[in-house]
């Protein structure tokens, strides 16, 4: 599903998240482990304000494990709790409850001290399209969707999903918009499949992918496309890839459309192995 974001949609999305914040103790901010910074909503801090937050680096199975570790350390250094998960397979999910309990310990201790009966932690998932929100909800739900009827402050009945005894999750996630302004962010979103190709030229995306691989994972690039020495000229590199993989026109010339498509498809489908497109230093450099 692709959503065209217009100012009206953004305002509505924001309003919906803000409204639901009243019902919950903690936000699960879902991002793509391959692009943890680029897959965040640009206004997330402003929207969720001081609500406790757990960052979930999803699709960790597709990301470079060493770089995921760098991100986890980075978040910890910033005082944010983050967990790497794979919603698809269900790995890392048990840590969600324990981390939430840890983050909310003081609040729940205070409630207990006031004599308030212990209850489950209430949470909601928030993130841009395609980061895996529905997949995670379905994984956590395991058919445990519980109807709780009307909650004060909301017109529509909210459904809560029971995740064990200690956690309840809103059954609908908060869908927020991705970053638009930055061209590189757009390329990363396209390369990881978060936005449709038509929005950006396939050649630009493949060029970005090739340059990235050349810099960060040259050995994988060489191995996959039978390249002995990476040429200086990017056109030559495309020529070599196209020739090696038989992406040719009827006149036996390299077909750059086909080559570009092949590269993007292979990066996306993990033919290059797990990849991470940004590290914490990148955003620290920007700041
Ligand atoms: P949503 O738009 O945020 O609800 O995203 P979806 O739950 O629809 O997921 C988008 C795509 O990512 C789907 O094809 C999922 O199967 C896939 N996906 C979600 N989580 C993971 C994960 O942890 N690992 C992998 N490999 N794929 C995932």
């Amino acid at each position: 599903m692709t959503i065209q974001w217009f100012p009206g949609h953004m305002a509505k999305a924001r309003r919906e998240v803000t409204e639901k914040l009243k019902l919950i103790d903690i936000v699960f901010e879902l991002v793509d482990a391959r692009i943890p910074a680029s897959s965040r909503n640009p206004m997330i801090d402003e929207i969720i304000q001081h609500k406790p937050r757990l960052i979930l680096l999803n699709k960790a199975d597709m990301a470079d494990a060493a770089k995921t570790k760098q991100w986890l350390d980075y978040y910890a250094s910033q005082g944010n709790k983050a967990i790497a998960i794979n919603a698809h397979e269900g790995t890392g999910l048990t840590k969600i409850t324990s981390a939430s309990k840890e983050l909310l310990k003081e609040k729940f201790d205070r409630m207990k001290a006031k004599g308030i009966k212990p209850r489950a932690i209430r949470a909601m998932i928030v993130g841009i399209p395609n980061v895996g929100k529905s997949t995670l909800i379905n994984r956590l739900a395991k058919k445990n969707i519980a109807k709780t009827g009307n909650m004060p402050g909301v017109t529509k009945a909210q459904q809560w999903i029971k995740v064990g005894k200690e956690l309840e999750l809103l059954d609908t996630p908060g869908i927020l918009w991705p970053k638009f302004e930055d061209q590189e962010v757009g390329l990363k979103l396209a390369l990881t499949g978060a936005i449709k190709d038509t929005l950006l030229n396939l050649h630009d995306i493949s060029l970005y992918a090739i340059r990235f691989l050349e810099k960060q994972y040259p050995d994988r690039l060489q191995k996959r496309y039978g390249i002995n020495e990476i040429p200086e000229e990017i056109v030559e590199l495309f020529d070599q890839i196209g020739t090696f993989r038989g992406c040719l026109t009827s006149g036996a010339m390299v077909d750059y459309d086909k080559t570009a498509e092949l590269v993007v498809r292979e990066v996306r489908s993990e033919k290059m192995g797990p990849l991470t497109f940004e590290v914490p230093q990148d955003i620290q450099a920007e700041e």
Side-chain angles (χ1 to χ4, degrees), residues 8 32 34 36 43 67 72 95 122 158 197 199 240 269:
D32 188 318
R34 296 168 294 173
M43 288 180 76
K67 291 183 181 173
L72 294 175
K95 288 189 201 154
R122 294 178 188 140
Q158 296 289 328
D197 294 342
L199 296 178
Q240 288 193 23
S269 58

Side-chain angles (χ1 to χ4, degrees), residues 13-14 17-18 21 27-31 36-37 39-55 75 80 124-128 133 174-179:
R14 180 178 181 161
V17 170
T18 306
L21 283 178
V27 171
F28 295 157
E29 186 193 350
L30 203 57
V31 294
S39 58
R40 298 186 82 193
N41 167 269
M43 288 180 76
I44 189 78
D45 292 341
E46 208 181 310
I47 295 170
I48 71 174
Q49 305 241 349
H50 299 299
K51 198 54 93 171
R53 166 192 351 196
L54 178 61
I55 298 167
Y75 290 123
N80 281 314
M124 80 180 286
I125 292 172
V126 166
I128 67 168
K133 296 180 296 300
I175 306 169
L176 293 171
W177 59 95
K179 293 174 182 161

Side-chain angles (χ1 to χ4, degrees), residues 1 30 58-62 85-89 128-136 173 270:
M1 175 187 62
L30 203 57
N58 192 35
K59 308 196 187 183
D61 54 308
M62 301 178 93
I85 64 165
N86 169 356
H88 197 62
E89 301 286 335
I128 67 168
N130 280 313
V131 284
K133 296 180 296 300
S134 318
T135 308
L136 178 60
E270 289 181 275

